[in-house]
Amino acid sequence: MTLAVASSVTNGLARLAEPWAHLYADSKTVATIVTFGHVASLLMAGGLAVATDRATLRALRLAAAERGRHLEELAGVHRLVVGGLSLSVITGVLLFASDVETFVGSWIFWLKMALICVLLANGFIMTRAEGALRADAGENAPSWTRLRRSALVSVGLWYAITLAGVALVNVA
Ligand code: HEM
């Protein structure tokens, strides 16, 4: 994409978002509600994900026969995490639209979006490992290692994305 095209796309987006950007800038109530929604989505999705990742790492210290109950709990948590992530995308787009020019030009914003893509891919790898373990949960099943690795990566990513989010407010 040439620079000229990128800047005309940015201008088009900024024009489209202008009425929202004005409302967001003029109303502390609107800004508070949207930012609260964004941080609340992190509390819900990130909090659940990190707590479940810790439980996964603890469950892996048990004998394979005792890990079944954790696999069931893990399956139930994904829906809530995806729900929280969806809320972070909706509120994230509203935050982005509040100042398009600043965020389009921010490397921190694009780094954060890239980290979120890796988080989603890691979540997919985790659900695949769970699926394989439902078929074979033997002590030496290779998916136990994949599950452990994806839990560790998940914890790291949630903190890295949160750091990028806070940096966006203070550095972008
Ligand atoms: C895993 C998902 C996400 C997490 C954990 C996350 C976390 C955060 C945090 C902690 C902040 C700082 C809030 C504050 O102190 O005001 C923030 C700000 C921000 N986030 Fe996210 N975020 C996520 C997803 C997204 C997405 C998908 C977008 C865009 C589509 C986005 C766009 C933004 C923007 C633009 C800001 C800066 C707001 C400002 O300067 O006032 N975020 N994010």
Side-chain angles (χ1 to χ4, degrees), residues 136-168:
D136 166 20
E139 193 72 47
N140 303 318
S143 293
W144 288 120
T145 311
R146 255 181 249 127
L147 190 64
R148 182 174 187 283
R149 201 180 306 134
S150 63
L152 288 170
V153 169
S154 166
V155 172
L157 284 170
W158 277 104
Y159 284 101
I161 296 168
T162 305
L163 174 61
V166 173
L168 264 179

Side-chain angles (χ1 to χ4, degrees), residues 18-32 98:
E18 209 169 333
W20 166 253
H22 282 149
L23 175 67
Y24 189 92
D26 296 345
S27 166
K28 291 284 173 236
T29 310
V30 169
T32 303
S98 73

Side-chain angles (χ1 to χ4, degrees), residues 17-18 20-22 24-25 92-101 103:
E18 209 169 333
W20 166 253
H22 282 149
Y24 189 92
V93 169
L94 292 175
L95 289 169
F96 174 82
S98 73
D99 192 351
V100 172
E101 279 106 346
F103 295 122

Side-chain angles (χ1 to χ4, degrees), residues 24 31 35-36 38-39 41-43 45-46 84-99 102-103 109 112-113 115-116 119-120 157-170 172:
Y24 189 92
T35 307
F36 166 72
H38 203 58
V39 176
S41 71
L42 158 61
L43 200 56
L85 269 173
S86 310
L87 179 62
S88 78
V89 172
I90 294 165
T91 53
V93 169
L94 292 175
L95 289 169
F96 174 82
S98 73
D99 192 351
T102 299
F103 295 122
F109 178 79
K112 184 180 172 190
M113 294 306 112
L115 289 171
I116 292 170
L119 182 79
L120 295 173
L157 284 170
W158 277 104
Y159 284 101
I161 296 168
T162 305
L163 174 61
V166 173
L168 264 179
V169 176
N170 299 302

Side-chain angles (χ1 to χ4, degrees), residues 67-79 126-138 141 143-144 147:
R67 297 174 194 165
R69 227 188 68 214
H70 177 66
L71 281 181
E72 278 163 36
E73 273 171 29
L74 199 48
V77 163
H78 285 305
R79 249 191 328 263
M126 192 184 281
T127 53
R128 290 287 297 266
E130 282 165 52
L133 288 166
R134 258 183 236 107
D136 166 20
S143 293
W144 288 120
L147 190 64

